[in-house]
Amino acid sequence: MSAPLLEIENLTVTFPTSRGPVDVVKGISFSLGRERLGIVGESGSGKSMTGRSILRLIRKPGRVTADRMTFDGIDLLSQSERQMRELRGARISMVMQDPKFSLNPVMTIGEQIGEALLTHKKLPRSELKARVLSMLEAVRINEPERVANLYPHEVSGGMGQRVMIAMMLIPEPDLLIADEPTSALDVSVQAQVLDIIDDLVTGKGMGLILISHDLNLVSRYCDRILVMNSGEIVESCKASDLHKATHPYTRGLLAAMPRMNEDRDELPVLDRSTWTTGAGT
Amino acid sequence: MKNAAIHLENLSISYGKTPVVFDVNFSVSEGESFALVGESGSGKSTILKAISGLAPDWTGKISVLGKPRGHAPDREFAKVCQMVFQDPYGSLHPRKTVDDCLAEPLAVHGIGGRDTRVKDMLDAVGLDQRFRFRFPHQLSGGQRQRVAIARALMLEPRVMLLDEPTSALDVSVQAEILNLLKKLRREQGLTYLMVTHNLPVVSFLCDRMAVMRHGRVVEIAEVDALKTGRLSDPYSRELYAASGGTLQPA
């Protein structure tokens, strides 16, 4: 592997509250090559904030500070808003959780995907259409011609999420951040959507950051895993070594999950007092 | 069938002109925990709604603890059968305290001794007494779901309808709620009819399950078949594989 695609050192995200500033991400560092990285944690662990801060999507009054945040040699912290707009979508893109709220309800699917490409590149209309259709095909949508003319409310959740992925991948970015891309979907559809992301990412040699609360799912689809708890990375390991995890939090999460062949009478519950002073459940 | 807690016969349900559930037949015996699994839109939640009276447009027969269920709201029915909803954020009144919320069913049914009953119930679901006068927004998701379960249990029902009780929660909190549900069932001899799409949860909490697709039950299986991966219907096997299970020949 050559130079890492993304390098982050000492990233902190702070929000002011009535009781003084609160760090939701507390000085985390990691780097990413052209590989699949999973970030796992529970609600409030700061995993989504980490993803958003890479794209500088944290709005005021939130504040992002870092010693170093470079993407492919570009210093993300010193970019102007205009320069960031050029990066977003074209070089780094993000798939959000719920297709219902992230697609424009009054534009057809074809127009939306086309717009994502046109923002970054001028193309003749016929070529644009061909690209959109082939992208829809790549995310395994049957009858792309028909679907391109539908509005978001006319498609199912799984299809909506595939449209989102098509939209995010059509400018051929180098890094895809997928923030809980499947938690709004059914189990059977989840696997399909992740397989598509996986195929496209490995096929194009992109980097992927998969943010999720589902340890099993992340271990199936990623090379490396970071486990976050209350804004800190508590464990970093290879996905295949997840079962050898050492931190009590990771072990607790693994144990708390019911298994397919469940024989325990009671599920072990996390004892939060041992490693964190943060808010409990 | 003797001692059926819930008995459904040729149940078809529609919303307006759209039929959603077709000819469903199954029985849940008393004290059993039965799961309905399937993808969104397969009609599993609709069955719970029909039983609880929220989807009145049905034909066929529903009986709960031997009594046939009518189409109209039924006060007596509420005493034996209660429902817990998926989203703890949406199912509690934002401007009522936990105490109001738990005492309301008692007031509606004219049951006395509210103070002690509310206190006891908070203990039963593992909530500290200091939560009694808090509002839902001051509670975490897991605590809210505990309140929702407590509210359902206030009338001491014998049958509980659970609509994805843990899918909005984190795994560690999910474990707490699942343990709680298991404990309550053991202590109070409750019957559960639970909707979920999480097969490992079924494995932990249920005795039998029905797999639904497109409004029909495609397979009813013992939980042992799920544990060993010996499901017979192709769709249930697909669902099982998608949940990360290893299939065995049926």
Side-chain angles (χ1 to χ4, degrees):
Chain A
M1 199 161 38
S2 53
L5 193 59
L6 181 73
E7 272 185 285
I8 288 179
E9 257 170 56
N10 200 12
L11 171 72
T12 304
V13 181
T14 314
F15 282 91
T17 66
S18 51
R19 279 181 231 139
V22 170
D23 290 350
V24 293
V25 177
K26 298 170 189 157
I28 63 168
S29 310
F30 64 93
S31 69
L32 171 86
R34 295 188 178 268
E35 61 180 335
R36 299 167 301 171
L37 176 75
I39 301 183
V40 205
E42 296 189 275
S43 338
S45 60
K47 55 190 194 308
S48 293
M49 282 299 157
T50 308
R52 285 169 165 265
S53 57
I54 294 170
L55 275 173
R56 292 240 320 259
L57 286 175
I58 310 261
R59 289 218 194 116
K60 284 202 167 134
R63 240 185 45 238
V64 179
T65 54
D67 291 349
R68 205 165 117 90
M69 209 156 109
T70 55
F71 166 74
D72 200 15
I74 305 165
D75 180 13
L76 291 175
L77 288 169
S78 63
Q79 299 286 299
S80 67
E81 252 324 284
R82 174 186 289 258
Q83 286 168 316
M84 271 318 285
R85 270 206 297 276
E86 269 167 34
L87 272 178
R88 290 183 195 132
R91 306 287 316 272
I92 312 177
S93 62
M94 187 160 182
V95 177
M96 306 273 186
Q97 181 168 357
D98 198 335
K100 273 193 224 99
F101 301 114
S102 352
L103 293 171
N104 185 343
V106 295
M107 266 172 103
T108 65
I109 283 164
E111 280 174 57
Q112 286 186 53
I113 299 178
E115 189 191 35
L117 184 58
L118 219 50
T119 314
H120 299 289
K121 212 191 262 174
K122 285 271 165 285
L123 274 178
R125 214 185 301 170
S126 58
E127 196 180 323
L128 181 70
K129 194 173 170 211
R131 285 278 297 274
V132 168
L133 292 183
S134 72
M135 197 64 223
L136 280 173
E137 235 164 73
V139 293
R140 292 181 215 156
I141 284 179
N142 304 325
E143 306 177 71
E145 298 257 7
R146 185 179 67 87
V147 174
N149 291 320
L150 295 179
Y151 287 92
H153 72 270
E154 297 175 293
V155 303
S156 66
M159 209 192 258
Q161 198 59 293
R162 279 182 271 176
V163 169
M164 276 289 289
I165 295 169
M167 205 158 117
M168 290 305 138
L169 290 181
I170 200 168
E172 301 185 339
D174 298 292
L175 174 62
L176 178 70
I177 301 171
D179 187 359
E180 306 257 8
T182 59
S183 37
L185 306 177
D186 279 325
V187 209
S188 45
V189 189
Q190 261 180 17
Q192 285 172 21
V193 167
L194 285 166
D195 283 336
I196 293 170
I197 294 187
D198 191 47
D199 274 3
L200 296 172
V201 166
T202 38
K204 291 186 176 147
M206 296 161 42
L208 169 72
I209 297 181
L210 179 64
I211 299 172
S212 172
H213 63 267
D214 191 334
L215 266 172
N216 276 334
L217 188 132
V218 168
S219 67
R220 261 193 280 165
Y221 286 94
C222 294
D223 306 316
R224 218 148 50 85
I225 296 183
L226 301 177
V227 182
M228 284 187 73
N229 179 230
S230 53
E232 288 165 62
I233 295 179
V234 296
E235 179 125 18
S236 159
C237 63
K238 270 165 75 181
S240 48
D241 294 342
L242 183 65
H243 58 279
K244 293 185 208 148
T246 49
H247 194 276
Y249 177 71
T250 322
R251 297 223 60 90
L253 277 187
L254 281 170
M257 255 180 311
R259 298 181 209 128
M260 193 63 94
N261 187 359
E262 189 55 70
D263 45 11
R264 293 171 293 183
D265 220 21
E266 196 165 311
L267 296 170
V269 170
L270 278 178
D271 179 11
R272 285 157 203 279
S273 54
T274 50
W275 69 89
T276 173
T277 49
T281 50
Chain B
M1 185 141 189
K2 66 174 175 77
N3 294 336
I6 301 171
H7 183 67
L8 306 180
E9 223 176 289
N10 299 326
L11 178 70
S12 299
I13 312 166
S14 54
Y15 289 124
K17 279 181 189 152
T18 324
V20 279
V21 172
F22 310 90
D23 280 331
V24 167
N25 293 289
F26 64 79
S27 277
V28 183
S29 40
E30 236 185 305
E32 196 183 11
S33 170
F34 192 89
L36 286 171
V37 298
E39 59 194 8
S40 336
S42 61
K44 49 195 191 327
S45 298
T46 304
I47 292 183
L48 293 199
K49 283 188 181 165
I51 297 173
S52 63
L54 295 171
D57 210 352
W58 51 267
T59 59
K61 267 190 199 156
I62 300 177
S63 61
V64 174
L65 294 168
K67 279 192 194 149
R69 170 93 175 94
H71 287 255
D74 184 342
R75 194 173 275 209
E76 283 310 304
F77 177 80
K79 279 191 185 171
V80 295
C81 182
Q82 284 282 330
M83 184 154 167
V84 176
F85 296 90
Q86 174 173 9
D87 185 1
Y89 298 86
S91 62
L92 298 177
H93 195 299
R95 296 186 63 177
K96 286 193 171 175
T97 60
V98 170
D99 181 67
D100 290 335
C101 166
L102 296 186
E104 190 171 352
L106 298 177
V108 169
H109 289 266
I111 298 170
R114 286 179 216 163
D115 185 60
T116 42
R117 277 169 192 268
V118 169
K119 278 186 189 159
D120 291 349
M121 190 52 71
L122 284 175
D123 284 337
V125 298
L127 279 176
D128 199 279
Q129 294 296 334
R130 68 197 153 103
F131 291 115
R132 188 172 166 192
F133 295 102
R134 294 208 184 161
F135 288 97
H137 71 263
Q138 295 168 307
L139 307 178
S140 70
Q143 289 163 349
R144 270 183 250 196
Q145 198 59 299
R146 282 174 199 264
V147 174
I149 292 171
R151 178 179 56 183
L153 287 171
M154 279 319 279
L155 294 173
E156 297 170 4
R158 286 159 65 200
V159 178
M160 291 273 275
L161 307 174
L162 308 168
D163 189 357
E164 310 228 17
T166 59
S167 63
L169 307 173
D170 279 323
V171 268
S172 60
V173 186
Q174 165 175 297
E176 289 170 21
I177 298 292
L178 289 177
N179 285 339
L180 171 67
L181 287 170
K182 203 165 193 176
K183 181 187 109 189
L184 290 169
R185 179 174 157 227
R186 197 169 52 227
E187 288 173 357
Q188 309 191 9
L190 298 167
T191 305
Y192 287 159
L193 176 58
M194 181 163 98
V195 161
T196 182
H197 56 249
N198 189 333
L199 291 180
V201 167
V202 175
S203 168
F204 177 70
L205 197 62
C206 300
D207 308 320
R208 276 197 304 152
M209 64 174 215
V211 182
M212 291 193 65
R213 187 181 205 192
H214 302 323
R216 292 171 207 278
V217 171
V218 297
E219 180 173 3
I220 293 182
E222 297 286 325
V223 76
D224 285 331
L226 172 71
K227 286 182 180 174
T228 50
R230 290 175 200 281
L231 298 168
S232 54
D233 185 80
Y235 176 69
S236 353
R237 291 173 72 84
E238 190 186 310
L239 207 62
Y240 181 79
S243 312
T246 359
L247 283 169
Q248 301 292 325

